[in-house]
Amino acid sequence: MAAVARLDRSDPGVGGDASDAPSGLPLRPDFGTQGTRDPASRELLSRRRPGKIYRYTAAIVLPDRKLSRPVKHRVFELAEQTVDWQQAGMPGHVAHDSAEKLDGAPSEGGTEYALTLTSEGEVDQQILNAYIASDYFPECLAGNPVDSQALAKVLSALNLVLTAHTSQTRIKIGRDDESKKHPDQRLFFDAPPPQDIGGGLTVREGFYVSVRPAHQQLMVNVNTCHAAFYKPQNFVNAMDEYRQFVNGGIGAFGTQVRVKTWHNNHIVMIQGISRENARQHKLYGGQFGRVTIEQYYERRLQGRAHRQQTCHGDAQRGLQAPKDNANEIVHRGLDMLGFRDQNPLLESFGIHVGTEMAVVPGRVLDKPGLTYSSDAPAAIDERASWNLRGLKFAVGARLDRWAVLVIQDGGQDDFRGAKDSILRSIVSGFREMCNKCGMQVQPLGEQAYGVARLPCRGYDRFRGDAIEEIERALRSLVEQIAPELVLVMLSSDDTAIYNGLKWLCDVKLDNQYFANVALKVNMKLGGINHTLDANSGAWLKNASTMIMGMDVTHPATGLSADGTPSIVAVVASIDEHFAQYPAILALRRSKVEIERDQGSGDNILMDMFISRFELYKARNKGELPKRVILFRDGVSESQYVQVRQYELREMKRAFEHFAPYQPKLSIVVCSKRHHTRFYPTKEEDAARDGNALPGTVVDRGITPAYEFDFFLQAHGGIKGTTRSTHYFVVHDENGFNADDLERVTNDLSYMFARATKAVSLISPAYWADIACERGRCYLHKLLMGGKDDGEAKEKGKKGKKRAEDSRVRESCGDVEDRCFRAELAG
């Protein structure tokens, strides 16, 4: 991940109080000291102070035409070949964003574009120099934050320069956005050649690059990344490949993909796949009147319509072992990015990127102690995991009425029915394990077994008939024995059936339905699997504390139905055990991460917070917590201040509901969507798979000079290079020091009740993410862009939009009335 330039090798020694940092966020109080010291190598390399940079705005003028990004990039490419460009001395001294080339070369009689450059003057780097030199501390203590937009402008210019060298040899995903200090810039190359992964897709290897200011140094963050691209070929052939790959159905394949038409070399973007073919779909064809597509091209081109060819698309990340990942960055990465050898462009800007990873100080925190029934301790191994052998749940739940539903879907491995001997053996073993773990689970009678024989798969990818059959079987079980829990034995991993079950049991039947291990069952029934021992979680226990988690999930662009809402989830602990986190869900405007308009949100977030406090109050004899910590997941770095401005406001309004209630509140943003990786510098300090040890925390050397943040890898690696979670404090009234907050975060990472191991994301944030995924099951058809036959026949954009909006409102209304704002157990 890495590149960077160090201005000073001195060890950071930053101090401060609860005042705000230059960004207006809480100031870092100190650095952590607990744990075993373990230097870690990070993909960061040093660079010297840059020379002067001048910023220009570019305007490409073509009357009566809106230009696409590829056309703008091509205009810049052609401009570099002009005499004016050469005579102005611009080659080797100008960096611009030309992320993608178009096929073809300039031709006689082509369209002329006017490219105008307007100077904005010199980019003032003084603000950056002062920021990394800690010169803003007096201003921070006086309550005067730095101009974050001015700082982002400098970083934007540096990012543009660093990625300009490879502009002719790579594909770039992401924009250099001046509103973001750390834009998502991923560069993909033709070497090694793209690999075919099936379904009309290939995968390319590339690198992420971003400049990062740290204390007394400026760094370049580099990381390996992979992305899937549409394979250039005949578009209909690509669709056929995809159909074969997924065993039928086209879904949203090809949506927003650029294709080149054979007859005029125009590049257009596909908006969707029609249900009608070229002989059925009609359009107004100018002089030809209303004709089918086939007729239009036959008359216009005196021949038949030909097929089209695709360009490229979007990304998923690959996995590499830690050592391989580090070598890829330091060797091939620096060469491909132009950072190793003399780079004339970087030299002209006075920039030099070092060729070695930076070594930063890290610490390994002690594992917390966990106890089960009768204070029996859990034996936590070096991978931060343990097993239940010889242990019983701290609080075992009782299950008197439960049932088993067998799904038969025509598979070879289906159970033969309710009396299948293998089925009975599995159910018996499951019950014995639950009782062995400390639960009280009663035996089943014959009436507690049900069978749902599903109809054959048809053209409905959401399998509505099958879901109706499952509903009939579930209702029959409910009428006969009113089970507290139904154990569903699925026939396969059919997503439509799985999501349909969640929707049935949570929304329509309002009954818990599924568990496949004793951990989940005990938790769902109100039990407690394990707790922190007397020596762990000291800060949590010295005053009543509520730990909350929050996340928002959004519909996919190009895949989901227009107007499909986002889903927000809030979870919160209800007692001093920090084991149960009941959830509440609500709908939010489509693709809105942070609701800024207090009126448009209809007090939804405030009401969700209030509901968590009311539940806590009901479980604690009318008492409310004295301290509250909210772990907010899914927020980008550019939105930290917005969390303070808007979500903090809603939390304070929730406090006012219980006036004069004023607990101490802290808000911590947690994120795994970053490109920072750590590699142990010594083999003896690494885990068996080469990753950093569980509990590794880094809060200096690569972190901001002022803000309060740290990286924590609480878990043991499973595959590839382990990614730590970045925790960033955006509000703090509890007066945390670094050790206390890092310890609390590490301890709570061991309190995820579904597993006997530490997890990568702190438990409340993890539960909020799971709650969001549950909500996605309820809106599965909208999220997957499902349409009915009547809608496909709608004519005109307005008619389609009205049909889409109506369907969204109908679907969401049913979900919101029945389930959202309701209690969901983990």
Side-chain angles (χ1 to χ4, degrees):
M1 231 171 154
V4 148
R6 243 184 229 200
L7 300 178
D8 192 332
R9 260 279 200 199
S10 59
D11 187 53
V14 182
D17 55 19
S19 301
D20 287 343
S23 59
L25 299 167
L27 191 67
R28 182 185 299 279
D30 58 5
F31 290 101
T33 59
Q34 294 183 0
T36 304
R37 292 192 175 275
D38 178 23
S41 177
R42 186 204 182 209
E43 318 82 282
L44 296 175
L45 305 156
S46 58
R47 68 170 239 11
R48 68 172 178 255
R49 191 185 305 271
K52 292 183 178 181
I53 300 176
Y54 295 91
R55 171 57 59 92
Y56 293 82
T57 56
I60 303 174
V61 180
L62 184 66
D64 304 323
R65 181 175 172 184
K66 184 177 181 180
L67 303 181
S68 65
R69 288 188 67 207
V71 171
K72 292 179 180 179
H73 295 154
R74 179 59 173 161
V75 170
F76 266 102
E77 187 180 58
L78 296 175
E80 291 178 332
Q81 303 173 21
T82 64
V83 175
D84 290 343
W85 191 282
Q86 308 296 323
Q87 291 179 345
M90 297 172 71
H93 294 83
V94 173
H96 60 81
D97 183 7
S98 57
E100 192 173 316
K101 296 195 300 182
L102 301 180
D103 293 333
S107 59
E108 294 295 331
T111 303
E112 291 188 3
Y113 298 86
L115 176 59
T116 304
L117 302 179
T118 304
S119 175
E120 293 183 5
E122 182 180 350
V123 175
D124 184 5
Q125 299 184 56
Q126 183 58 40
I127 189 172
L128 175 62
N129 297 332
Y131 183 89
I132 63 179
S134 302
D135 291 347
Y136 278 107
F137 270 112
E139 296 290 326
C140 297
L141 298 177
N144 300 318
V146 70
D147 186 347
S148 59
Q149 288 298 318
L151 178 61
K153 185 175 182 178
V154 181
L155 296 176
S156 174
L158 292 174
N159 278 313
L160 188 60
V161 172
L162 284 175
T163 58
H165 173 71
T166 51
S167 62
Q168 304 299 323
T169 61
R170 48 78 169 149
I171 297 169
K172 180 177 178 181
I173 295 179
R175 300 187 182 186
D176 182 29
D177 190 345
E178 281 194 9
S179 66
K180 299 179 180 179
K181 284 199 300 184
H182 311 303
D184 180 16
Q185 298 184 118
R186 292 171 289 163
L187 312 175
F188 298 94
F189 303 87
D190 291 328
Q195 298 181 18
D196 195 318
I197 56 176
L201 303 174
T202 61
V203 65
R204 289 174 180 262
E205 297 182 15
F207 297 91
Y208 165 91
V209 180
S210 179
V211 176
R212 301 266 167 164
H215 179 62
Q216 296 294 339
Q217 56 191 344
L218 190 58
M219 295 183 162
V220 181
N221 184 194
V222 181
N223 187 29
T224 57
C225 58
H226 297 77
F229 291 78
Y230 287 95
K231 182 168 60 177
Q233 62 174 320
N234 182 289
F235 185 66
V236 176
N237 291 345
M239 289 195 296
D240 290 340
E241 280 191 36
Y242 182 76
R243 284 194 183 98
Q244 295 174 12
F245 188 76
V246 299
N247 296 320
I250 196 65
F253 180 83
T255 303
Q256 296 191 333
V257 170
R258 293 188 299 276
V259 299
K260 180 167 39 175
T261 57
W262 71 272
H263 62 284
N264 58 8
N265 269 357
H266 282 180
I267 291 181
V268 296
M269 181 177 289
I270 293 178
Q271 301 300 323
I273 308 298
S274 172
R275 295 191 177 194
E276 298 175 324
N277 61 33
R279 293 181 178 177
Q280 297 170 328
H281 191 87
K282 291 186 176 182
L283 49 76
Y284 180 73
Q287 60 179 325
F288 306 122
R290 189 166 183 76
V291 293
T292 66
I293 293 176
E294 183 182 48
Q295 291 170 340
Y296 174 79
Y297 281 103
E298 283 180 339
R299 298 175 186 180
R300 181 180 175 185
L301 306 175
Q302 290 80 47
R304 293 188 174 273
H306 282 56
R307 296 173 177 180
Q308 303 171 333
Q309 297 217 329
T310 65
C311 200
H312 19 255
D314 207 343
Q316 281 296 330
R317 191 175 304 275
L319 294 174
Q320 292 191 95
K323 185 177 181 180
D324 295 337
N325 200 56
N327 288 334
E328 182 84 354
I329 293 166
V330 173
H331 296 104
R332 193 174 75 90
L334 297 186
D335 291 335
M336 299 294 287
L337 295 169
F339 292 164
R340 185 182 304 281
D341 299 325
Q342 281 193 338
N343 183 326
L345 182 62
L346 295 185
E347 289 293 333
S348 69
F349 283 93
I351 294 176
H352 171 74
V353 180
T355 58
E356 297 295 333
M357 288 189 179
V359 177
V360 297
R363 292 169 289 115
V364 179
L365 300 179
D366 295 335
K367 301 176 180 68
L370 304 177
T371 59
Y372 282 77
S373 179
S374 302
D375 291 330
I380 304 174
D381 62 22
E382 71 278 1
R383 295 177 60 84
S385 63
W386 63 98
N387 61 53
L388 292 175
R389 190 177 296 114
L391 298 174
K392 292 186 177 183
F393 296 139
V395 178
R398 181 180 180 88
L399 182 58
D400 294 322
R401 299 185 313 279
W402 60 297
V404 174
L405 176 62
V406 177
I407 304 295
Q408 294 182 331
D409 199 15
Q412 293 182 350
D413 298 327
D414 284 1
F415 292 115
R416 294 191 297 272
K419 296 184 180 295
D420 189 302
S421 60
I422 299 178
L423 170 69
R424 294 299 177 104
S425 175
I426 291 174
V427 172
S428 176
F430 171 73
R431 174 176 171 270
E432 289 177 5
M433 177 57 69
C434 288
N435 287 331
K436 186 177 180 180
C437 289
M439 297 178 63
Q440 300 178 54
V441 180
Q442 301 303 312
L444 291 178
E446 289 300 319
Q447 287 185 321
Y449 287 88
V451 177
R453 297 178 178 84
L454 307 187
C456 296
R457 293 177 173 85
Y459 291 103
D460 179 12
R461 59 191 173 112
F462 300 113
R463 304 198 65 184
D465 292 343
I467 301 303
E468 290 179 1
E469 181 59 36
I470 295 174
E471 181 180 356
R472 282 192 288 271
L474 284 170
R475 290 192 183 278
S476 177
L477 287 174
V478 171
E479 291 173 0
Q480 293 184 61
I481 63 172
E484 301 169 76
L485 181 138
V486 179
L487 181 65
V488 180
M489 311 298 287
L490 294 171
S491 170
S492 67
D493 59 355
D494 190 323
T495 303
I497 299 300
Y498 185 77
N499 289 325
L501 267 168
K502 288 178 177 285
W503 175 76
L504 274 176
C505 299
D506 287 345
V507 179
K508 293 204 69 175
L509 302 180
D510 195 24
N511 182 43
Q512 290 180 325
Y513 66 89
F514 180 81
N516 57 3
V517 293
L519 284 169
K520 289 185 180 181
V521 174
N522 188 61
M523 177 187 58
K524 285 176 177 287
L525 297 176
I528 298 174
N529 294 347
H530 60 270
T531 61
L532 295 169
D533 68 13
N535 297 321
S536 303
W539 189 93
L540 293 168
K541 297 174 183 178
N542 62 30
S544 60
T545 305
M546 173 188 279
I547 305 295
M548 306 180 75
M550 179 178 169
D551 194 12
V552 181
T553 185
H554 305 286
T557 301
L559 174 63
S560 303
D562 291 341
T564 299
S566 296
I567 301 168
V568 56
V570 175
V571 307
S573 61
I574 53 175
D575 54 33
E576 73 279 7
H577 299 297
F578 307 103
Q580 288 276 353
Y581 293 87
I584 185 170
L585 304 177
L587 301 181
R588 171 171 285 182
R589 287 187 301 148
S590 184
K591 301 179 183 178
V592 173
E593 179 68 36
I594 298 176
E595 184 62 74
R596 304 186 188 188
D597 186 352
Q598 183 173 332
S600 65
D602 192 27
N603 298 326
I604 288 177
L605 187 57
M606 180 191 72
D607 291 343
M608 296 175 78
F609 290 150
I610 289 174
S611 73
R612 300 306 86 196
F613 290 113
E614 288 178 338
L615 182 60
Y616 186 99
K617 187 176 180 180
R619 300 289 184 91
N620 292 273
K621 301 179 181 180
E623 295 293 325
L624 288 167
K626 296 179 181 178
R627 303 181 301 196
V628 177
I629 309 175
L630 171 63
F631 287 91
R632 176 64 158 94
D633 192 15
V635 175
S636 66
E637 291 175 282
S638 62
Q639 295 175 310
Y640 289 168
V641 174
Q642 294 177 26
V643 172
R644 275 176 62 102
Q645 290 176 332
Y646 305 108
E647 295 182 349
L648 172 60
R649 175 194 66 195
E650 296 304 293
M651 181 69 81
K652 293 292 187 178
R653 292 179 65 211
F655 294 163
E656 293 173 2
H657 179 79
F658 303 94
Y661 178 55
Q662 287 293 331
K664 293 182 178 180
L665 171 66
S666 297
I667 301 177
V668 182
V669 171
C670 38
S671 173
K672 293 189 68 179
R673 295 182 181 179
H674 60 79
H675 293 267
T676 298
R677 303 292 183 274
F678 299 103
Y679 307 97
T681 54
K682 299 179 182 178
E683 187 174 344
E684 58 268 27
D685 294 330
R688 285 178 293 178
D689 60 359
N691 280 299
L693 292 169
T696 296
V697 61
V698 176
D699 62 3
R700 68 184 75 193
I702 61 167
T703 51
Y706 305 92
E707 290 90 355
F708 186 8
D709 73 329
F710 58 92
F711 292 86
L712 172 65
Q713 180 204 311
H715 65 302
I718 298 177
K719 199 172 185 180
T721 303
T722 304
R723 186 184 331 195
S724 59
T725 300
H726 184 211
Y727 294 92
F728 195 107
V729 181
V730 299
H731 183 75
D732 183 28
E733 298 172 7
N734 284 292
F736 274 114
N737 60 39
D739 280 331
D740 283 344
L741 183 57
E742 291 166 4
R743 170 55 66 187
V744 165
T745 306
N746 190 58
D747 288 352
L748 290 177
S749 297
Y750 284 74
M751 291 302 296
F752 185 65
R754 282 192 179 184
T756 54
K757 61 182 179 180
V759 290
S760 60
L761 183 64
I762 190 169
S763 295
Y766 205 142
W767 283 120
D769 178 75
I770 289 175
C772 280
E773 288 303 309
R774 178 74 64 87
R776 294 181 68 88
C777 295
Y778 310 152
L779 301 181
H780 179 62
K781 288 187 177 181
L782 293 179
L783 290 167
M784 295 303 295
K787 293 175 169 55
D788 55 48
D789 292 336
E791 182 187 346
K793 298 176 182 178
E794 286 278 355
K795 306 300 181 183
K797 293 184 178 179
K798 292 183 178 179
K800 290 183 179 180
K801 185 67 168 62
R802 285 195 297 268
E804 192 89 329
D805 290 345
S806 175
R807 183 165 61 89
V808 169
R809 285 194 301 270
E810 181 179 352
S811 299
C812 295
D814 180 54
V815 171
E816 193 164 30
D817 290 344
R818 289 179 174 269
C819 177
F820 284 71
R821 305 197 186 205
E823 301 298 333
L824 292 176

